[in-house]
Amino acid sequence: MRCSRRGSTVRRLVRPLGTTILMGVVALALVACSGSSRVRKPSDLVTVSNQFEMQTVWSTSVGSSEGFNFHPVVAGDAVYAASHRGNLVKIDLATGKKVWEASVPERLSIGPGSDGRTTVAVSTKGNVYAYDDTGKQMWKVNVSSEVLSEPIVAGGIVIVRALDNRFIGLDAQTGVRKWIYQRQQSALSLRVGYGMLAIGNEVIVTGFSGGRFGMIAIANGGLVWETPVSFPKGFSEIERLNDVTAKPSMEGDIICAVSYQGRVGCGQARTGNLLWFKDYSSYTGTAQSADLVFSSNEKSYVTAFATKDGAQVWENTQLTHRDVGESLAVGKVLLLGDAQGYVHALAQANGEMIARIRHDSNPISAAPIAVGGLILIQSQGGKISAYSPK
């Protein structure tokens, strides 16, 4: 059985021995299945007079995610995107023209990852497919587990995070395994993709189950540091679920992360030492500006905290139950999509709704991307567009 929420992979619980339990008893699952009598009604759209426009520069389609959570990735002057049915595409960033299309011979669960030279995607059977900069297949490697986390290509290494808590480093040119970093499996964890943030070609920062996040060296898979942002609490295994599933964010030398049923916190990127933390719960992660960190909870309340001390600056409840996705802080605005395909712009300073566009009728769970004066947005239906803010 597979249900969808915001177009992303169904939230499930997984035990180390492979037993899977649907999260029908967790708040996440209350909106997961359309047949549920407890489906929440999204709030009506508030009237907004756009203070700026998002003009479409180009638009194309790459194919539907079909319940999985695909993100586009930018490398150099190109955008790389994929679909569940195996369509892998390189798109010219300036024009939207498809440079090449490859047909992966299996259904995909996640992807792509790319550094502009090697582009990879992972099938539902755990096969990693790699393509060169012309769209020709280079290699195929099986990692013996399901993969729901977006792969990263950096420093000549392809980093794949498997659902069994293994991080696998593969040579980007040959697919030869370079290293493995194994995490201990928790008694119960969320069956989702865990976001990874690459910092240059040297390290990645990612969350773990049990309310922890850490930094891993790309070259050898060594753990640089690990820090708890929150701790499990409660009596039952479900109450004690406390995973940092979303991609951490970084601005300057400050890195922030948030856990489900836990806390949000910010600390020093070099050491991982937290400067502050506050009770909060989110699976859409954090976004940062120079002075603020933003996150949205399960009710789609959007909150801004002061980066220096965690003081709440504002909270916007106008998007209640609209199932907003990952956000992007750019310029003076915060951009985030919702389950009905709208993209909302909030003023970073006070949370005021200042603009809105309708990108698509399908959910938008991936964070918008700001690059070269453009804003890139991909829906779960596969529509990807470049917008120019005016």
Side-chain angles (χ1 to χ4, degrees):
M1 176 181 178
R2 182 177 295 276
C3 307
S4 62
R5 182 178 191 271
R6 301 187 300 105
S8 59
T9 304
V10 61
R11 268 68 182 172
R12 293 185 180 181
L13 309 180
V14 259
R15 298 178 184 271
L17 296 181
T19 303
T20 303
I21 309 170
L22 284 177
M23 290 188 64
V25 291
V26 184
L28 281 174
L30 296 180
V31 294
C33 304
S34 60
S36 171
S37 61
R38 302 183 67 181
V39 171
R40 305 174 302 177
K41 182 181 183 301
S43 61
D44 294 331
L45 292 173
V46 299
T47 301
V48 58
S49 178
N50 285 353
Q51 297 182 22
F52 66 94
E53 299 297 328
M54 296 267 283
Q55 296 183 357
T56 304
V57 177
W58 55 260
S59 187
T60 189
S61 178
V62 298
S64 172
S65 298
E66 297 185 26
F68 289 84
N69 196 5
F70 287 82
H71 296 63
V73 61
V74 175
D77 58 0
V79 184
Y80 299 84
S83 73
H84 172 59
R85 291 183 178 273
N87 193 33
L88 184 62
V89 182
K90 177 181 180 180
I91 303 168
D92 183 86
L93 178 61
T95 66
K97 180 181 177 181
K98 293 180 180 178
V99 180
W100 54 256
E101 289 187 70
S103 181
V104 182
E106 293 184 68
R107 295 289 194 261
L108 298 178
S109 61
I110 198 65
S114 182
D115 63 355
R117 296 179 296 275
T118 302
T119 301
V120 299
V122 189
S123 78
T124 55
K125 296 180 180 179
N127 288 316
V128 183
Y129 288 87
Y131 295 80
D132 66 16
D133 59 1
T134 68
K136 180 182 178 180
Q137 184 176 327
M138 300 165 61
W139 48 265
K140 167 190 166 185
V141 170
N142 186 271
V143 293
S144 303
S145 180
E146 188 175 17
V147 176
L148 297 177
S149 300
E150 184 179 353
I152 285 177
V153 186
I157 303 291
V158 175
I159 302 106
V160 177
R161 179 174 184 165
L163 198 61
D164 61 6
N165 266 351
R166 286 179 304 139
F167 292 79
I168 304 159
L170 305 172
D171 184 276
Q173 291 301 308
T174 65
V176 172
R177 192 177 72 194
K178 306 288 285 187
W179 52 260
I180 289 182
Y181 171 59
Q182 176 76 60
R183 295 286 300 184
Q184 183 177 357
Q185 191 82 309
S186 300
L188 205 62
S189 60
L190 292 171
R191 183 185 178 275
V192 294
Y194 285 68
M196 297 185 288
L197 172 69
I199 303 176
N201 289 319
E202 297 183 357
V203 296
I204 62 168
V205 181
T206 187
F208 306 125
S209 58
R212 308 179 75 85
F213 72 113
M215 180 179 285
I216 298 172
I218 291 174
N220 58 21
L223 184 66
V224 179
W225 54 255
E226 180 179 346
T227 298
V229 69
S230 59
F231 300 92
K233 54 187 177 181
F235 296 99
S236 71
E237 288 183 353
I238 292 175
E239 288 175 325
R240 293 175 62 80
L241 273 172
N242 190 226
D243 297 355
V244 180
T245 63
K247 181 189 299 183
S249 60
M250 182 174 173
E251 180 71 23
D253 60 352
I254 300 298
I255 195 159
C256 301
V258 62
S259 61
Y260 170 68
Q261 294 191 150
R263 292 171 175 166
V264 59
C266 294
Q268 299 170 337
R270 184 175 62 85
T271 63
N273 292 335
L274 289 185
L275 303 174
W276 58 266
F277 52 79
K278 301 195 99 173
D279 286 346
Y280 199 75
S281 177
S282 176
Y283 47 83
T284 58
T286 54
Q288 290 175 244
S289 66
D291 302 313
L292 298 172
V293 56
F294 310 92
S295 191
S296 56
N297 64 16
E298 292 91 340
K299 294 181 180 180
S300 293
Y301 293 177
V302 186
T303 307
F305 303 93
T307 305
K308 63 179 181 179
D309 58 12
Q312 182 174 313
V313 178
W314 53 258
E315 182 180 65
N316 184 309
T317 62
Q318 294 174 316
L319 300 174
T320 300
H321 299 328
R322 296 193 66 84
D323 295 335
V324 298
E326 301 167 359
S327 58
L328 167 71
V330 56
K332 296 182 179 180
V333 303
L334 182 73
L335 297 174
L336 65 173
D338 70 17
Q340 296 181 2
Y342 290 95
V343 179
H344 309 274
L346 309 182
Q348 291 183 14
N350 57 16
E352 177 189 356
M353 184 83 66
I354 58 175
R356 180 191 305 126
I357 63 168
R358 186 76 182 272
H359 170 75
D360 197 2
S361 60
N362 293 288
I364 301 171
S365 58
I369 298 173
V371 57
L374 299 175
I375 303 295
L376 302 178
I377 297 171
Q378 180 177 338
S379 73
Q380 292 294 299
K383 179 181 179 181
I384 181 169
S385 299
Y387 297 94
S388 176
K390 300 293 183 182

